[in-house]
């Protein structure tokens, strides 16, 4: 569930985002965003184009 919210925020952004920005955009706690990002990257649905920034694939 959180993964979908995070992925949607990344897609809407169109640019790489920091986890704090994703937390603000989704209204989720940063810890939940960090877990969701970790899972999305592991599943290959998101990537980290540069350190501490994340984007949807």
């Amino acid at each position: 569930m959180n993964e979908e919210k995070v992925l949607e925020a990344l897609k809407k952004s169109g640019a790489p985002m920091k986890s704090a920005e994703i937390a603000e955009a989704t209204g989720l706690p940063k810890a939940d965003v960090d877990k969701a990002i970790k899972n999305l990257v592991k599943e290959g649905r998101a990537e980290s184009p540069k350190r501490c920034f994340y984007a949807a694939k």
Side-chain angles (χ1 to χ4, degrees), residues 1-43:
M1 170 99 169
N2 289 346
E3 285 92 354
E4 296 307 319
K5 283 185 179 180
V6 168
L7 193 59
E8 191 62 34
L10 290 172
K11 286 179 181 176
K12 281 184 183 178
S13 166
M17 299 173 76
K18 290 185 177 184
S19 57
E21 295 170 329
I22 299 166
E24 190 176 314
T26 60
L28 296 169
K30 188 176 176 298
D32 291 350
V33 170
D34 290 337
K35 287 179 193 173
I37 287 170
K38 185 177 177 183
N39 289 335
L40 288 168
V41 169
K42 195 160 115 177
E43 294 169 4

